[in-house]
C-alpha cells in the first residue's frame, strides 16, 4: 500500500479506469478494500488524491488500466 508522492505537492483529482473486465488475480486495493467485479471503462474517483492504494497482477492475463491525475489550477 502506498500513496503517490506527486499528489502531495498540489491539489489534484485521481481516477482509476480498468480497460478490461475484472479477472481473478487482478488486484486493486483502495483504502484497504479490494476492488473486484468491475467492468471495462468503469471510472473510480479517489475520495482524496492521497488515499492509500496498491495493485498487483497474480493472474494469467495482462492487467491493463488507465490511471489519470488531473491537476487543479
Amino acid at each position: 500500500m502506498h500513496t503517490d508522492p506527486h499528489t502531495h505537492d498540489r491539489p489534484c483529482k485521481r481516477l482509476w479506469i480498468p480497460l478490461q473486465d475484472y479477472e481473478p488475480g487482478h488486484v486493486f486495493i483502495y483504502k484497504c478494500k479490494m476492488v473486484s467485479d468491475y467492468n471495462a471503462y468503469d471510472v473510480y474517483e479517489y475520495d482524496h488524491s492521497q488515499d492509500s492504494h496498491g495493485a498487483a497482477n497474480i493472474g494469467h492475463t495482462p492487467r491493463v488500466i488507465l490511471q489519470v491525475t488531473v491537476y487543479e489550477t
Side-chain angles (χ1 to χ4, degrees), residues 6-21:
H6 66 275
T7 65
H8 297 197
D9 296 335
R10 51 195 256 217
C12 63
K13 188 182 290 188
R14 304 292 309 276
L15 304 172
W16 183 81
I17 306 164
L19 300 181
Q20 63 196 114
D21 294 339

Side-chain angles (χ1 to χ4, degrees), residues 19-69:
L19 300 181
Q20 63 196 114
D21 294 339
Y22 172 80
E23 294 185 31
H26 292 186
V27 177
F28 179 64
I29 300 172
Y30 173 65
K31 294 170 70 172
C32 296
K33 294 182 183 172
M34 182 165 162
V35 179
S36 61
D37 295 327
Y38 52 76
N39 295 306
Y41 311 109
D42 286 346
V43 177
Y44 296 87
E45 183 174 345
Y46 289 41
D47 294 332
H48 188 276
S49 64
Q50 295 177 25
D51 286 337
S52 63
H53 59 280
N57 183 2
I58 55 174
H60 295 285
T61 60
R63 177 184 164 274
V64 184
I65 62 100
L66 175 64
Q67 177 72 50
V68 178
T69 303

